Amino acid sequence: MKVSELNLKAKSLLEAHLSDIELSGEISKITLHSSGHWYFELKDEKSSIACAMFKGANSKLNFKPSIGDSLNLRGFVSLYEQSGRYQFIATSMSKSGFGDLEARFLALKAKLEGEGLFDDKFKKPLPKFPKKVGIITSSTSAALQDMLKLITQKEYFLAKFFVFNALTQGNTAPASLIKALKKADEAGLDLIIIARGGGSREDLFCFNDEDLARAIFSAKTPIISAIGHEIDYVISDFVADFRAPTPSAAIDLCFFSRFSLEQNLDLLQDKLKTLCEAKMTSLKNELFNLEKIFKMQSLPLKIEQNLKQNKELLKSFQNAMKNRLNLEELKLINLQNAFFQHENFFKRSKNLVSIQKNGKITRLNELKSGDKVVLSSQDLSKEAQII
């Protein structure tokens, strides 16, 4: 059998056995398609179902439904063959008497928002590890049992939990909730959770009360609103300091398990150890550098450096003096050599004779026969005539 064949048979069975059904609930989602068909979801406190109302049927109505409307439907159960999705096909629709709930909700929301009751600047921070926690809910509700069970599973041992019983449905519920809230707010708690499980729009509407909203806003203790399911929004969600999508989520989001706390402590210990080791290494390096600087600037080192410098200066001075003496000695030797050369010259010059003519020394090749000259030597001078 093909999938399409199975879906077709399922559709035939559903339409044959569930052909005339009356269904009531609240719209949680809706799409008014451009084709004229309406697609929406109808829910109660436990379940939801996909619904469709085709153009031929909805064109007879004098209103268009919206999210939050409580409706009475008549129709049959079918199956969409292409996806195999189970759905309710509405052939008629009427409001169940609570059609104005959404309008009342939106009007109060706009009023309180305009007054600033939803502003973040008024939100009180939630304590990270609250020691005293109050839970405002019905003491017989399944939501409370789920919360307490989760607290036990988490082994959350840092706080004591106090339950403040209150009505969470009906016309007298707002007054009961306000009374419990005032009592809890005066008990010196660190945190208050206002909780209620899922339900229809009508069931949850007591949390859209204006007096309750103002009581939540005026409370000194941080407040978590945990009403219905994730898709449910009430006024207390907006005015509270924090909104949890469900009562159980309030416990999950705001309280750590024993295991998580121990694991966080281990991580913090490892992080602290790493930071300490890095700091110690940094300080050791800094100390080593300071020690080097101190040694470089210490008096013994400076004296040693000065002595070394003096030795180098003395050695340079000695070398300079040695070089100067060598130079002077060389000059003296040169003078001695020159002296000895002149002495030898004088010794040799005793045998030398100079010829003067007319008082001037004259060379032999310049003399003529008959010239009168003076012959001079180191020992004597005599006149003579050139033959």
Side-chain angles (χ1 to χ4, degrees), residues 34-53:
S34 59
S35 63
H37 304 321
W38 295 349
Y39 303 97
F40 53 96
E41 285 189 9
L42 203 69
K43 72 178 183 70
D44 60 13
E45 64 273 17
K46 295 181 179 180
S47 304
S48 65
I49 186 174
C51 301
M53 191 172 191

Side-chain angles (χ1 to χ4, degrees), residues 40-255:
F40 53 96
E41 285 189 9
L42 203 69
K43 72 178 183 70
D44 60 13
E45 64 273 17
K46 295 181 179 180
S47 304
S48 65
I49 186 174
C51 301
M53 191 172 191
F54 299 120
K55 182 178 180 180
N58 65 49
S59 61
K60 301 175 184 178
L61 301 179
N62 58 4
F63 69 95
K64 290 184 178 180
S66 59
I67 294 176
D69 285 349
S70 294
L71 304 175
N72 293 322
L73 305 179
R74 180 178 289 275
F76 58 92
V77 178
S78 184
L79 184 139
Y80 186 54
E81 295 177 45
Q82 292 185 6
S83 63
R85 188 178 67 167
Y86 162 89
Q87 61 182 354
F88 183 84
I89 307 300
T91 55
S92 66
M93 176 187 294
S94 63
K95 292 187 177 182
S96 62
F98 293 93
D100 63 336
L101 292 182
E102 182 68 11
R104 289 163 56 190
F105 166 77
L106 294 175
L108 180 59
K109 181 174 179 290
K111 176 183 177 181
L112 298 181
E113 187 173 16
E115 295 181 17
L117 268 68
F118 304 162
D119 288 354
D120 289 339
K121 64 182 180 181
F122 296 121
K123 304 294 184 185
K124 295 178 285 296
L126 302 182
K128 191 169 185 178
F129 299 105
K131 296 181 179 179
K132 294 182 180 180
V133 181
I135 300 176
I136 299 176
T137 190
S138 171
S139 59
T140 60
S141 65
L144 176 61
Q145 298 307 314
D146 291 341
M147 295 171 74
L148 296 178
K149 181 179 180 180
L150 192 55
I151 291 169
T152 303
Q153 290 176 350
K154 281 177 158 289
E155 297 185 46
Y156 189 78
F157 55 91
L158 298 180
K160 291 183 178 180
F161 291 85
F162 303 88
V163 178
F164 296 85
N165 183 42
L167 297 175
T168 56
Q169 183 176 337
N171 295 333
T172 60
S176 177
L177 289 166
I178 293 171
K179 182 179 179 180
L181 176 58
K182 289 182 177 179
K183 185 177 180 180
D185 194 36
E186 295 172 355
L189 304 176
D190 299 315
L191 182 65
I192 296 174
I193 302 173
I194 301 177
R196 196 229 191 257
S200 66
R201 189 83 172 170
E202 299 88 338
D203 295 338
L204 304 181
F205 206 77
C206 60
F207 295 95
N208 293 322
D209 183 80
E210 181 175 354
D211 292 335
L212 176 60
R214 297 189 184 279
I216 293 173
F217 181 79
S218 301
K220 304 184 296 294
T221 311
I223 294 176
I224 296 175
S225 176
I227 309 301
H229 299 300
E230 188 170 358
I231 61 173
D232 298 316
Y233 277 88
V234 291
I235 295 298
S236 65
D237 291 335
F238 298 102
V239 74
D241 300 298
F242 183 83
R243 185 233 177 201
T246 64
S248 296
I251 303 301
D252 276 330
L253 293 171
C254 300
F255 302 98

